[in-house]
Amino acid sequence: MTLLISGGAGFIGPSLIDRAARDGHDAIVIDNLSRGRREHLGAPTLLIKADLAQASSVEHAASALGGRRIDEFWHLAANSDIPAGVEDPSVDLRDTFLTTFHSLLLAERLGVRHFFFASSSAVYGDQGSTRISEELGPLLPISNYGAMKLASEAQISAAAESALGRAGLYRFPNVVGVPATHGVLLDFVRKLKSNPLQLDVLGDGTQQKAYLHVSELVDGMWFASRRQQARREVFNIGPADDGVSVQWIAQQVCARVAPQARIAFGQGKKGWVGDVPRFRYDTARLAALGWRPTLDSSAAIVRAIDEVARQEGV
Ligand SMILES: NC(=O)c1ccc[n+]([C@@H]2O[C@H](COP(=O)([O-])OP(=O)(O)OC[C@H]3O[C@@H](n4cnc5c(N)ncnc54)[C@H](O)[C@@H]3O)[C@@H](O)[C@H]2O)c1
């Protein structure tokens, strides 16, 4: 098969390409390289540079593909800077929603029947200590990013009734690993590299979230996508634990990168407006199919700290 992966030159895309390659499949990437990098992709991977927020990208990508058969569309392109989307709602309208809208038009244009989407726990909003299952509703996101992910799910669901044969909606927790392009570990490692004596943390460090290693995330998505029977399926993909605190993560990063550093916490339970300080996933649906991650949140973090530190040369 050939997979078309939007946003595939970022953090998660390269691991998905590797996972598909293990089963003998090729990938083609569409990315505007706003955050992604050509160097993240192996030499054989074709890269089409296009801004999927623009309607013209549909024609551009279709002609760059030159009639090549595409079997599956994996839509990963989105804004990854949630605070930036809170400051300016047009960021998520463009990069999180319109990329979905145009990816669907492109899938239809290419006759692709299978569409898989990188959604997020952000669609659930702030549910406190409730263990969140896929059945939960109504969904009331608290960030523009979460709102545009939910709108994207809705748009994909509607397309599944007409153009698409099958839509898989995968709600990720926080994902860690390399090549890191954003996120708490990269932020902490870079801060400590520039000042090994102090680590400034957004919020009071009590935020507690679940973390999944990128190798396991792509494995879980791949597993679910190979078994999909229904026209639409939604899965939480993550560890079953209650997550780890930002304070604990800060301590682990300091221990690896700058043991002398003092950790300076900010005020308030949230790192930024729209931050969900605590969430707990119910992962029973995917577990019932036979998949669960082997690393819990803490093991995923410890492994990824070392990977990110090496990426940053420390
Ligand atoms: N990393 C996480 O913790 C996490 C958690 C939940 C959901 N997700 C979702 O997974 C997907 C992949 O995330 P990631 O961590 O690899 O992020 P990333 O920023 O590394 O990758 C996203 C890619 O999309 C590209 N892109 C952005 N806007 C685009 C546009 N208008 N046109 C074309 N390309 C565009 C970027 O250049 C980048 O390469 C995203 O949809 C993200 O929302 C990630």
Side-chain angles (χ1 to χ4, degrees):
M1 290 194 309
T2 301
L3 279 52
L4 187 57
I5 307 179
S6 74
F11 160 45
I12 293 170
S15 291
L16 176 61
I17 294 170
D18 286 349
R19 180 65 193 84
R22 267 172 40 208
D23 283 6
H25 307 305
D26 294 330
I28 297 174
V29 164
I30 306 180
D31 200 300
N32 67 354
L33 301 183
S34 56
R35 194 172 288 263
R37 297 282 169 267
R38 180 73 186 89
E39 311 82 84
H40 292 167
L41 303 172
T45 305
L46 174 66
L47 170 69
I48 299 170
K49 190 165 180 246
D51 180 356
L52 282 162
Q54 306 293 329
S56 57
S57 64
V58 177
E59 254 337 288
H60 170 66
S63 69
L65 285 164
R68 197 163 155 178
R69 180 194 157 96
I70 302 294
D71 300 281
E72 296 185 352
F73 200 120
W74 286 76
H75 174 42
L76 271 53
N79 164 47
S80 295
D81 186 346
I82 299 176
V86 173
E87 286 279 308
D88 174 4
S90 69
V91 170
D92 280 302
L93 174 65
R94 283 195 311 271
D95 289 336
T96 308
F97 181 72
L98 285 176
T99 54
T100 306
F101 188 78
H102 295 131
S103 292
L104 287 166
L105 291 182
L106 179 58
E108 183 172 3
R109 168 79 201 272
L110 299 172
V112 184
R113 304 273 297 150
H114 297 170
F115 194 96
F116 302 101
F117 177 52
S119 191
S120 163
S121 59
V123 300
Y124 293 116
D126 189 351
Q127 299 293 338
S129 56
T130 308
R131 194 169 285 285
I132 303 169
S133 93
E134 295 88 344
E135 304 292 328
L136 190 87
L139 298 185
L140 301 169
I142 60 166
S143 63
N144 293 318
Y145 168 78
M148 293 299 100
K149 282 288 183 194
L150 186 57
S152 292
E153 288 193 2
Q155 191 72 27
I156 295 165
S157 172
E161 203 62 18
S162 51
L164 302 176
R166 202 172 286 178
L169 307 173
Y170 304 132
R171 295 175 178 163
F172 308 169
N174 292 283
V175 188
V176 290
V178 285
T181 59
H182 61 100
V184 63
L185 300 186
L186 187 61
D187 184 40
F188 284 178
V189 169
R190 285 188 173 165
K191 280 178 175 165
L192 285 169
K193 209 177 154 185
S194 73
N195 179 6
L197 295 179
Q198 178 157 322
L199 176 61
D200 292 319
V201 175
L202 300 176
D204 64 6
T206 59
Q207 307 100 296
Q208 176 141 349
K209 308 179 190 191
Y211 292 84
L212 184 62
H213 193 270
V214 65
S215 57
E216 303 219 276
L217 169 81
V218 298
D219 204 52
M221 287 199 290
W222 193 253
F223 178 93
S225 67
R226 296 315 95 185
R227 279 155 190 81
Q228 183 163 344
Q229 301 290 336
R231 190 181 278 263
R232 304 169 185 79
E233 278 181 356
V234 182
F235 284 105
N236 291 339
I237 304 184
D241 57 76
D242 290 348
V244 292
S245 71
V246 170
Q247 180 181 20
W248 183 84
I249 295 173
Q251 288 163 347
Q252 302 306 308
V253 177
C254 288
R256 167 65 177 79
V257 175
Q260 320 297 334
R262 185 181 86 83
I263 303 175
F265 293 102
Q267 302 283 315
K269 302 237 162 285
K270 296 187 176 197
W272 55 85
V273 175
D275 185 23
V276 177
R278 187 168 281 263
F279 76 84
R280 301 165 77 211
Y281 252 179
D282 180 339
T283 54
R285 184 177 284 184
L286 194 48
L289 273 189
W291 187 89
R292 60 183 81 226
T294 58
L295 302 176
D296 63 10
S297 291
S298 55
I301 287 285
V302 168
R303 179 170 157 189
I305 288 172
D306 197 49
E307 293 169 337
V308 175
R310 276 189 274 124
Q311 169 186 302
E312 295 300 303
V314 288

